[in-house]
Amino acid sequence: MDRADWDARYASAPELVWTAEPNRFVVAETAELPPGRALDLAAGEGRNAVWLAGRGWRVTAVDFSAVAVRRGRDLARERGVDVDWQVADVITYRPEADAFDLVLVAYLHLPQPDRATVLRQAAAAVRPGGSFVLVGHDLANLTAGTGGPRDPALLLTPDAVAAELPGLRVRRADTARRPVRVQDGIVDALDTVVVAIRS
């Protein structure tokens, strides 16, 4: 989907497309980190950025959908937090190098080589001692889970992501189960979760 498609998807929903609550893996991997400067790439409607800001982080949130960013601003205002919102395409966006204590990429699905470009830039933005967290739909969803794109070229695997993080030391790279409520009950979504640090 391109920028216009995402703008239309967000604009057509009367409320947030995604929940206002942060992603469970983002919470698990960042809750114990001391607040600092954070970058949320492909922030969407800002649920993770707003949660981090509420915990004392100075957050820059980047997304190419102006509609999503507007909703993120609204959510931040409702929660009483400040976030630096930027409308930009993460493929061409160049974050400041060595500048962030946390760089987050959640549910960004791009073909190669665009994914490698974004991850290379994200890794370079992590300052020494800082953390990188990625969560996204795993390739295994096509056969054993639910959710995410149906194009295998857009889905993630832990090994592929870990290999695209130059200069970072990978601490976690696995496929995690996330229960999702559907009409007939609860099913599992499978997510790639990668956590790395800059030495």
Coordinates of all heavy atoms in Angstrom, one line a residue, residues 71-166:
R71 N -3.9 11.7 13.7 CA -4.6 10.9 14.8 C -3.6 10.7 16.0 O -4.0 10.7 17.1 CB -5.0 9.6 14.2 CG -6.2 9.7 13.3 CD -6.8 8.4 12.9 NE -8.1 8.6 12.3 CZ -9.0 7.7 12.1 NH1 -8.7 6.5 12.6 NH2 -10.1 8.0 11.6
G72 N -2.3 10.5 15.7 CA -1.3 10.4 16.7 C -1.2 11.7 17.6 O -1.1 11.6 18.8
R73 N -1.3 12.8 16.9 CA -1.3 14.1 17.6 C -2.5 14.2 18.6 O -2.4 14.6 19.7 CB -1.3 15.3 16.7 CG 0.0 15.6 16.0 CD 0.0 16.9 15.2 NE 1.3 17.1 14.7 CZ 1.5 17.1 13.3 NH1 0.6 16.8 12.5 NH2 2.8 17.4 12.9
D74 N -3.7 13.8 18.0 CA -4.9 13.8 18.9 C -4.7 12.9 20.1 O -5.1 13.2 21.2 CB -6.1 13.4 18.0 CG -6.5 14.4 17.0 OD1 -6.0 15.5 17.0 OD2 -7.2 14.0 16.0
L75 N -4.2 11.7 19.9 CA -4.0 10.7 21.0 C -3.0 11.3 22.0 O -3.3 11.2 23.2 CB -3.5 9.4 20.4 CG -3.3 8.3 21.4 CD1 -4.6 7.9 22.2 CD2 -2.7 7.0 20.8
A76 N -2.0 11.9 21.5 CA -1.0 12.5 22.5 C -1.6 13.6 23.3 O -1.4 13.7 24.5 CB 0.2 13.0 21.7
R77 N -2.5 14.4 22.6 CA -3.1 15.5 23.3 C -4.1 14.9 24.4 O -4.1 15.4 25.5 CB -3.9 16.4 22.3 CG -4.4 17.7 22.9 CD -5.1 18.5 21.8 NE -4.3 18.7 20.6 CZ -4.6 18.1 19.4 NH1 -5.7 17.4 19.2 NH2 -3.8 18.3 18.4
E78 N -4.8 13.9 24.0 CA -5.7 13.3 25.0 C -5.0 12.7 26.2 O -5.5 12.8 27.3 CB -6.5 12.1 24.3 CG -7.5 12.5 23.3 CD -8.1 11.4 22.5 OE1 -7.8 10.2 22.9 OE2 -8.7 11.6 21.5
R79 N -3.8 12.2 25.9 CA -3.0 11.6 27.0 C -2.1 12.6 27.8 O -1.4 12.3 28.7 CB -2.1 10.5 26.5 CG -2.9 9.3 25.8 CD -3.5 8.4 26.8 NE -4.3 7.4 26.2 CZ -3.9 6.2 25.8 NH1 -2.7 5.8 25.9 NH2 -4.8 5.3 25.3
G80 N -2.1 13.8 27.2 CA -1.3 14.9 27.9 C 0.2 14.7 27.7 O 1.0 15.1 28.7
V81 N 0.7 14.2 26.6 CA 2.1 14.1 26.4 C 2.5 14.8 25.1 O 1.7 15.1 24.2 CB 2.5 12.6 26.3 CG1 2.2 11.8 27.6 CG2 1.8 11.9 25.1
D82 N 3.8 15.0 25.0 CA 4.4 15.7 23.9 C 5.2 14.7 23.0 O 6.0 13.9 23.6 CB 5.4 16.8 24.3 CG 4.7 18.0 24.9 OD1 3.6 18.3 24.4 OD2 5.2 18.6 25.9
V83 N 5.0 14.7 21.7 CA 5.7 13.9 20.8 C 6.1 14.8 19.6 O 5.2 15.6 19.2 CB 4.8 12.7 20.3 CG1 5.5 11.9 19.2 CG2 4.5 11.8 21.5
D84 N 7.3 14.6 19.1 CA 7.7 15.3 17.9 C 7.2 14.5 16.7 O 7.8 13.5 16.3 CB 9.2 15.5 17.9 CG 9.7 16.1 16.6 OD1 9.0 16.7 15.8 OD2 10.9 15.9 16.3
W85 N 6.1 14.9 16.1 CA 5.5 14.2 14.9 C 6.1 14.7 13.6 O 6.2 15.9 13.4 CB 4.0 14.4 14.9 CG 3.3 13.9 16.1 CD1 2.9 14.7 17.2 CD2 3.0 12.6 16.5 NE1 2.4 13.9 18.2 CE2 2.4 12.6 17.7 CE3 3.1 11.4 15.8 CZ2 1.9 11.4 18.4 CZ3 2.7 10.2 16.4 CH2 2.1 10.3 17.7
Q86 N 6.5 13.8 12.8 CA 7.0 14.1 11.5 C 6.4 13.3 10.4 O 6.3 12.0 10.5 CB 8.6 13.9 11.4 CG 9.3 14.8 12.4 CD 10.8 14.7 12.3 OE1 11.3 14.4 11.2 NE2 11.5 15.1 13.3
V87 N 5.9 14.0 9.3 CA 5.3 13.3 8.2 C 6.5 13.1 7.2 O 7.0 14.0 6.6 CB 4.2 14.1 7.5 CG1 3.6 13.3 6.3 CG2 3.0 14.3 8.6
A88 N 6.9 11.8 7.0 CA 8.0 11.5 6.1 C 8.0 10.1 5.8 O 7.5 9.2 6.5 CB 9.3 11.9 6.8
D89 N 8.5 9.7 4.6 CA 8.6 8.4 4.2 C 9.9 7.8 4.8 O 11.0 8.3 4.6 CB 8.7 8.3 2.6 CG 8.6 6.9 2.1 OD1 9.0 6.0 2.8 OD2 8.2 6.8 0.9
V90 N 9.7 6.7 5.5 CA 10.9 6.1 6.2 C 11.9 5.6 5.3 O 13.1 5.4 5.7 CB 10.5 5.0 7.3 CG1 9.6 5.6 8.4 CG2 9.8 3.9 6.6
I91 N 11.6 5.3 4.0 CA 12.6 4.9 3.1 C 13.6 6.0 2.8 O 14.8 5.7 2.6 CB 11.9 4.4 1.8 CG1 11.0 3.1 2.1 CG2 12.9 4.0 0.7 CD1 10.1 2.7 1.0
T92 N 13.1 7.2 2.7 CA 14.0 8.3 2.4 C 14.4 9.2 3.6 O 15.3 10.0 3.5 CB 13.4 9.2 1.3 OG1 12.1 9.7 1.8 CG2 13.2 8.5 0.0
Y93 N 13.7 8.9 4.7 CA 14.0 9.7 5.9 C 15.4 9.3 6.4 O 15.8 8.1 6.5 CB 12.9 9.4 7.0 CG 13.1 10.0 8.3 CD1 12.8 11.3 8.5 CD2 13.6 9.2 9.4 CE1 13.0 11.9 9.8 CE2 13.7 9.8 10.6 CZ 13.4 11.1 10.8 OH 13.6 11.7 12.1
R94 N 16.1 10.3 6.8 CA 17.5 10.1 7.4 C 17.6 10.6 8.8 O 17.8 11.7 9.0 CB 18.6 10.8 6.5 CG 18.6 10.2 5.1 CD 19.2 8.8 5.1 NE 19.2 8.2 3.7 CZ 18.3 7.4 3.2 NH1 17.2 7.1 3.9 NH2 18.4 6.9 2.0
P95 N 17.4 9.7 9.8 CA 17.5 10.1 11.2 C 18.9 10.5 11.5 O 19.9 10.0 10.9 CB 17.0 8.9 12.0 CG 17.3 7.7 11.1 CD 17.2 8.3 9.6
E96 N 19.1 11.3 12.5 CA 20.4 11.7 13.0 C 21.1 10.5 13.5 O 20.6 9.7 14.2 CB 20.2 12.7 14.1 CG 21.4 13.3 14.7 CD 21.1 14.2 15.9 OE1 20.0 14.6 16.1 OE2 22.1 14.6 16.6
A97 N 22.4 10.4 13.1 CA 23.2 9.2 13.5 C 23.6 9.3 15.0 O 23.8 10.4 15.5 CB 24.4 9.1 12.6
D98 N 23.7 8.1 15.6 CA 24.2 8.0 17.0 C 23.4 8.9 18.0 O 24.0 9.5 18.9 CB 25.7 8.4 17.1 CG 26.6 7.5 16.2 OD1 26.2 6.3 16.0 OD2 27.6 8.0 15.8
A99 N 22.1 9.1 17.8 CA 21.4 10.1 18.5 C 20.3 9.6 19.4 O 19.8 10.4 20.2 CB 20.8 11.1 17.5
F100 N 19.9 8.3 19.3 CA 18.7 7.8 20.0 C 19.1 6.7 21.0 O 19.8 5.8 20.6 CB 17.6 7.4 19.0 CG 17.1 8.5 18.2 CD1 17.7 8.8 16.9 CD2 16.1 9.3 18.6 CE1 17.2 9.9 16.2 CE2 15.6 10.4 17.8 CZ 16.2 10.6 16.6
D101 N 18.5 6.8 22.2 CA 18.6 5.7 23.1 C 17.7 4.5 22.8 O 18.0 3.4 23.3 CB 18.2 6.2 24.5 CG 19.1 7.4 24.9 OD1 20.2 7.2 25.2 OD2 18.5 8.5 24.9
L102 N 16.7 4.7 22.0 CA 15.8 3.7 21.5 C 15.4 4.0 20.1 O 14.9 5.1 19.9 CB 14.6 3.5 22.5 CG 13.5 2.6 22.0 CD1 14.0 1.2 22.0 CD2 12.3 2.7 22.9
V103 N 15.5 3.0 19.3 CA 14.9 3.1 17.9 C 13.9 1.9 17.8 O 14.2 0.8 18.0 CB 15.9 3.0 16.8 CG1 15.2 3.0 15.4 CG2 16.8 4.3 16.9
L104 N 12.7 2.3 17.5 CA 11.6 1.3 17.4 C 11.0 1.2 16.0 O 10.8 2.2 15.3 CB 10.4 1.7 18.3 CG 9.1 1.0 18.2 CD1 9.3 -0.5 18.6 CD2 8.1 1.6 19.1
V105 N 10.9 0.0 15.5 CA 10.2 -0.3 14.2 C 9.2 -1.3 14.4 O 9.5 -2.5 14.7 CB 11.2 -0.7 13.1 CG1 10.5 -1.0 11.8 CG2 12.4 0.2 12.9
A106 N 7.9 -0.9 14.3 CA 6.8 -1.9 14.6 C 5.9 -2.0 13.4 O 5.3 -1.0 12.9 CB 6.0 -1.4 15.8
Y107 N 5.8 -3.2 12.9 CA 4.9 -3.6 11.8 C 5.1 -2.7 10.5 O 4.2 -2.3 9.9 CB 3.4 -3.5 12.3 CG 3.2 -4.5 13.4 CD1 3.2 -4.0 14.7 CD2 3.0 -5.9 13.2 CE1 3.0 -4.9 15.8 CE2 2.9 -6.7 14.2 CZ 2.9 -6.3 15.5 OH 2.8 -7.2 16.5
L108 N 6.4 -2.6 10.2 CA 6.7 -2.0 8.9 C 7.1 -3.1 8.0 O 8.0 -3.9 8.2 CB 7.9 -1.0 9.1 CG 8.5 -0.5 7.8 CD1 7.5 0.4 7.1 CD2 9.8 0.3 8.1
H109 N 6.4 -3.2 6.9 CA 6.6 -4.3 5.9 C 6.9 -3.8 4.5 O 6.0 -3.2 3.9 CB 5.3 -5.2 5.9 CG 5.2 -5.9 7.2 ND1 5.8 -7.1 7.6 CD2 4.4 -5.6 8.3 CE1 5.5 -7.4 8.8 NE2 4.7 -6.5 9.3
L110 N 8.1 -4.0 4.2 CA 8.6 -3.4 2.9 C 9.4 -4.5 2.1 O 10.0 -5.4 2.7 CB 9.6 -2.3 3.2 CG 9.1 -1.1 3.9 CD1 10.3 -0.2 4.3 CD2 8.1 -0.3 3.0
P111 N 9.4 -4.4 0.8 CA 10.2 -5.4 0.1 C 11.7 -5.0 0.2 O 12.1 -3.9 0.6 CB 9.7 -5.2 -1.4 CG 9.2 -3.8 -1.4 CD 8.7 -3.5 0.0
Q112 N 12.5 -6.0 -0.1 CA 13.9 -5.7 -0.3 C 14.1 -4.9 -1.6 O 13.4 -5.2 -2.5 CB 14.8 -7.0 -0.4 CG 14.9 -7.7 1.0 CD 15.9 -7.0 1.9 OE1 15.8 -5.7 2.0 NE2 16.9 -7.7 2.4
P113 N 15.0 -4.0 -1.7 CA 16.0 -3.6 -0.7 C 15.5 -2.5 0.2 O 16.3 -2.0 1.1 CB 17.2 -3.1 -1.5 CG 16.5 -2.5 -2.7 CD 15.3 -3.3 -3.0
D114 N 14.3 -2.0 0.1 CA 13.8 -0.9 1.0 C 13.9 -1.3 2.4 O 14.3 -0.4 3.2 CB 12.3 -0.6 0.6 CG 12.2 0.0 -0.8 OD1 13.2 0.6 -1.3 OD2 11.1 -0.1 -1.3
R115 N 13.6 -2.5 2.8 CA 13.7 -2.9 4.2 C 15.1 -2.7 4.7 O 15.3 -2.2 5.8 CB 13.1 -4.3 4.5 CG 13.2 -4.7 6.0 CD 12.7 -6.1 6.2 NE 13.6 -7.0 5.6 CZ 13.2 -8.1 5.0 NH1 11.9 -8.4 4.8 NH2 14.1 -9.0 4.5
A116 N 16.0 -3.2 3.9 CA 17.4 -3.1 4.3 C 17.9 -1.7 4.5 O 18.6 -1.3 5.4 CB 18.3 -3.8 3.3
T117 N 17.4 -0.8 3.6 CA 17.8 0.6 3.7 C 17.3 1.2 5.0 O 18.0 1.9 5.7 CB 17.2 1.4 2.5 OG1 17.7 0.9 1.3 CG2 17.4 2.9 2.6
V118 N 16.0 0.9 5.3 CA 15.4 1.5 6.6 C 16.1 0.9 7.8 O 16.4 1.7 8.7 CB 13.9 1.2 6.6 CG1 13.3 1.6 8.0 CG2 13.2 1.9 5.5
L119 N 16.4 -0.4 7.8 CA 17.0 -1.0 9.0 C 18.4 -0.5 9.1 O 18.9 -0.3 10.3 CB 16.9 -2.5 8.9 CG 15.5 -3.1 9.0 CD1 15.6 -4.6 9.0 CD2 14.8 -2.6 10.3
R120 N 19.1 -0.3 8.0 CA 20.5 0.2 8.1 C 20.5 1.6 8.7 O 21.3 2.0 9.6 CB 21.1 0.3 6.7 CG 22.6 0.7 6.7 CD 23.2 0.4 5.3 NE 22.5 1.1 4.3 CZ 21.8 0.5 3.3 NH1 21.7 -0.8 3.3 NH2 21.2 1.2 2.4
Q121 N 19.6 2.5 8.3 CA 19.4 3.8 8.8 C 19.0 3.8 10.3 O 19.5 4.6 11.1 CB 18.4 4.6 8.0 CG 18.9 4.9 6.6 CD 20.1 5.9 6.6 OE1 20.3 6.7 7.4 NE2 20.9 5.8 5.5
A122 N 18.1 2.9 10.6 CA 17.7 2.7 12.0 C 18.8 2.3 12.9 O 19.0 2.9 14.0 CB 16.5 1.7 12.1
A123 N 19.6 1.3 12.5 CA 20.7 0.9 13.3 C 21.7 2.0 13.5 O 22.3 2.2 14.6 CB 21.4 -0.3 12.6
A124 N 22.0 2.8 12.5 CA 22.9 3.9 12.6 C 22.4 5.0 13.5 O 23.2 5.8 14.1 CB 23.2 4.5 11.2
A125 N 21.1 5.1 13.7 CA 20.6 6.1 14.6 C 20.7 5.8 16.1 O 20.5 6.7 16.9 CB 19.1 6.4 14.2
V126 N 21.0 4.5 16.4 CA 21.1 4.1 17.8 C 22.4 4.6 18.3 O 23.5 4.3 17.7 CB 21.0 2.6 17.9 CG1 21.1 2.2 19.4 CG2 19.7 2.1 17.4
R127 N 22.4 5.3 19.5 CA 23.6 5.8 20.1 C 24.3 4.6 20.8 O 23.6 3.6 21.2 CB 23.4 7.0 20.9 CG 22.6 6.7 22.2 CD 22.6 7.9 23.2 NE 22.5 9.2 22.5 CZ 21.7 10.2 22.8 NH1 20.8 10.0 23.7 NH2 21.7 11.3 22.1
P128 N 25.6 4.7 21.1 CA 26.3 3.7 21.9 C 25.6 3.5 23.2 O 25.2 4.4 23.9 CB 27.7 4.2 22.1 CG 27.9 5.1 20.9 CD 26.6 5.7 20.6
G129 N 25.3 2.2 23.5 CA 24.5 1.8 24.7 C 23.0 1.8 24.5 O 22.3 1.4 25.4
G130 N 22.6 2.3 23.3 CA 21.1 2.3 23.1 C 20.6 1.0 22.5 O 21.3 0.1 22.3
S131 N 19.3 1.0 22.4 CA 18.6 -0.2 22.0 C 17.8 -0.1 20.7 O 17.3 1.0 20.4 CB 17.6 -0.6 23.1 OG 18.2 -0.9 24.4
F132 N 17.6 -1.2 20.1 CA 16.8 -1.3 18.8 C 15.8 -2.3 19.1 O 16.1 -3.4 19.6 CB 17.6 -1.6 17.6 CG 16.9 -2.0 16.4 CD1 16.5 -1.0 15.5 CD2 16.5 -3.3 16.2 CE1 15.8 -1.4 14.4 CE2 15.8 -3.7 15.0 CZ 15.4 -2.7 14.1
V133 N 14.5 -2.1 18.8 CA 13.4 -3.1 18.9 C 12.6 -3.1 17.6 O 12.1 -2.0 17.2 CB 12.5 -2.7 20.1 CG1 11.3 -3.7 20.2 CG2 13.3 -2.7 21.4
L134 N 12.4 -4.3 17.1 CA 11.6 -4.4 15.9 C 10.5 -5.5 16.2 O 10.9 -6.6 16.8 CB 12.4 -4.8 14.7 CG 11.6 -5.2 13.4 CD1 12.2 -4.6 12.2 CD2 11.3 -6.7 13.3
V135 N 9.3 -5.2 15.8 CA 8.2 -6.2 15.9 C 7.5 -6.2 14.6 O 7.2 -5.1 14.0 CB 7.2 -5.9 17.0 CG1 6.1 -7.0 17.1 CG2 7.9 -5.8 18.4
G136 N 7.2 -7.3 14.0 CA 6.5 -7.4 12.7 C 5.9 -8.7 12.5 O 6.2 -9.7 13.1
H137 N 5.0 -8.8 11.5 CA 4.4 -10.0 11.1 C 5.4 -11.0 10.5 O 6.1 -10.7 9.6 CB 3.3 -9.8 10.1 CG 2.1 -8.9 10.6 ND1 1.2 -9.4 11.6 CD2 1.7 -7.7 10.3 CE1 0.4 -8.4 11.8 NE2 0.6 -7.4 11.1
D138 N 5.4 -12.2 11.1 CA 6.4 -13.2 10.7 C 5.9 -14.0 9.5 O 4.7 -14.2 9.3 CB 6.5 -14.2 11.9 CG 7.8 -15.1 11.7 OD1 7.7 -16.1 11.0 OD2 8.8 -14.7 12.3
L139 N 6.8 -14.4 8.7 CA 6.5 -15.2 7.5 C 5.7 -16.5 7.8 O 4.9 -16.9 7.0 CB 7.9 -15.7 6.8 CG 7.8 -16.5 5.6 CD1 7.1 -15.8 4.4 CD2 9.2 -17.0 5.1
A140 N 5.9 -17.0 9.0 CA 5.1 -18.2 9.4 C 3.6 -18.0 9.5 O 2.9 -19.0 9.5 CB 5.7 -18.7 10.7
N141 N 3.2 -16.7 9.5 CA 1.8 -16.5 9.5 C 1.1 -17.1 8.3 O -0.1 -17.4 8.4 CB 1.5 -15.0 9.6 CG 1.4 -14.5 11.1 OD1 1.0 -15.2 11.9 ND2 1.8 -13.3 11.3
L142 N 1.8 -17.2 7.2 CA 1.1 -17.7 6.0 C 0.6 -19.1 6.2 O -0.3 -19.5 5.5 CB 2.1 -17.6 4.8 CG 2.5 -16.2 4.3 CD1 3.5 -16.3 3.2 CD2 1.2 -15.4 3.9
T143 N 1.3 -19.9 7.0 CA 0.9 -21.3 7.2 C 0.4 -21.6 8.6 O -0.3 -22.6 8.8 CB 2.1 -22.2 6.8 OG1 3.2 -21.9 7.6 CG2 2.4 -22.1 5.3
A144 N 0.9 -20.9 9.6 CA 0.6 -21.3 11.0 C 0.0 -20.2 11.9 O -0.1 -20.4 13.1 CB 1.9 -21.8 11.6
G145 N -0.3 -19.0 11.3 CA -0.8 -17.9 12.1 C -1.8 -17.1 11.4 O -2.4 -17.6 10.4
T146 N -2.0 -15.9 11.9 CA -3.0 -15.0 11.3 C -2.4 -13.6 11.3 O -1.6 -13.2 12.1 CB -4.3 -15.1 12.0 OG1 -5.3 -14.3 11.3 CG2 -4.2 -14.5 13.4
G147 N -2.9 -12.8 10.3 CA -2.5 -11.4 10.3 C -1.4 -11.0 9.3 O -0.6 -11.9 9.0
G148 N -1.4 -9.8 9.0 CA -0.3 -9.3 8.2 C -0.5 -9.4 6.7 O -1.5 -10.0 6.2
P149 N 0.5 -8.9 5.9 CA 0.4 -9.0 4.4 C 0.4 -10.5 4.0 O 0.9 -11.4 4.7 CB 1.7 -8.4 4.0 CG 2.2 -7.6 5.1 CD 1.7 -8.3 6.3
R150 N -0.2 -10.7 2.9 CA -0.2 -12.1 2.3 C 0.9 -12.4 1.3 O 1.1 -13.5 0.9 CB -1.6 -12.4 1.6 CG -2.8 -12.2 2.5 CD -2.7 -12.6 4.0 NE -2.5 -14.1 4.1 CZ -2.1 -14.7 5.2 NH1 -1.8 -14.0 6.3 NH2 -2.0 -16.0 5.3
D151 N 1.7 -11.3 1.1 CA 2.8 -11.4 0.2 C 4.0 -11.8 1.0 O 4.5 -11.1 1.8 CB 3.1 -10.1 -0.5 CG 4.2 -10.1 -1.5 OD1 5.0 -11.1 -1.5 OD2 4.4 -9.1 -2.2
P152 N 4.6 -13.0 0.7 CA 5.7 -13.5 1.5 C 6.9 -12.6 1.4 O 7.7 -12.5 2.4 CB 6.1 -14.9 1.0 CG 5.3 -15.0 -0.3 CD 4.2 -14.0 -0.3
A153 N 7.1 -11.8 0.4 CA 8.2 -10.9 0.2 C 8.1 -9.7 1.2 O 9.2 -9.1 1.5 CB 8.3 -10.4 -1.2
L154 N 7.0 -9.5 1.8 CA 6.8 -8.4 2.7 C 6.9 -8.8 4.2 O 6.9 -8.0 5.1 CB 5.5 -7.7 2.5 CG 5.3 -7.1 1.1 CD1 3.9 -6.5 1.0 CD2 6.4 -6.1 0.8
L155 N 6.9 -10.1 4.4 CA 6.9 -10.7 5.8 C 8.3 -10.8 6.3 O 9.3 -10.8 5.5 CB 6.1 -12.0 5.8 CG 4.6 -11.8 5.6 CD1 4.0 -13.2 5.3 CD2 3.9 -11.1 6.7
L156 N 8.4 -11.0 7.6 CA 9.7 -11.0 8.2 C 10.1 -12.4 8.8 O 9.2 -13.2 9.1 CB 9.7 -10.0 9.4 CG 9.3 -8.6 9.1 CD1 9.2 -7.7 10.3 CD2 10.3 -7.9 8.1
T157 N 11.4 -12.6 9.0 CA 11.9 -13.7 9.8 C 13.0 -13.1 10.7 O 13.6 -12.1 10.4 CB 12.6 -14.8 8.9 OG1 13.7 -14.3 8.3 CG2 11.6 -15.3 7.9
P158 N 13.1 -13.7 11.9 CA 14.1 -13.2 12.8 C 15.5 -13.1 12.2 O 16.3 -12.2 12.4 CB 14.0 -14.2 14.0 CG 12.6 -14.7 13.9 CD 12.3 -14.8 12.5
D159 N 15.9 -14.2 11.5 CA 17.3 -14.2 10.9 C 17.5 -13.1 9.9 O 18.6 -12.5 9.9 CB 17.6 -15.6 10.3 CG 17.7 -16.7 11.4 OD1 17.9 -16.4 12.6 OD2 17.7 -17.9 11.0
A160 N 16.5 -12.9 9.1 CA 16.7 -11.9 8.0 C 16.8 -10.5 8.6 O 17.7 -9.7 8.2 CB 15.5 -11.9 7.1
V161 N 16.0 -10.2 9.6 CA 16.1 -8.9 10.3 C 17.4 -8.8 11.0 O 18.1 -7.7 10.9 CB 14.9 -8.7 11.3 CG1 15.1 -7.4 12.1 CG2 13.6 -8.6 10.5
A162 N 17.8 -9.8 11.7 CA 19.1 -9.7 12.5 C 20.3 -9.5 11.6 O 21.2 -8.8 12.0 CB 19.3 -11.0 13.3
A163 N 20.2 -10.0 10.4 CA 21.3 -9.8 9.4 C 21.4 -8.4 8.8 O 22.4 -8.1 8.2 CB 21.2 -10.9 8.3
E164 N 20.4 -7.6 9.0 CA 20.3 -6.3 8.4 C 20.5 -5.2 9.4 O 20.0 -4.1 9.2 CB 18.9 -6.2 7.7 CG 18.8 -7.1 6.5 CD 17.4 -7.1 5.9 OE1 16.4 -6.7 6.6 OE2 17.2 -7.5 4.8
L165 N 21.2 -5.5 10.5 CA 21.4 -4.5 11.5 C 22.9 -4.3 11.8 O 23.5 -4.7 12.8 CB 20.7 -4.9 12.8 CG 19.2 -5.1 12.8 CD1 18.7 -5.7 14.1 CD2 18.5 -3.8 12.5
P166 N 23.6 -3.6 10.9 CA 25.0 -3.4 11.0 C 25.4 -2.6 12.3 O 24.7 -1.6 12.6 CB 25.4 -2.7 9.7 CG 24.2 -2.0 9.3 CD 23.1 -2.9 9.7

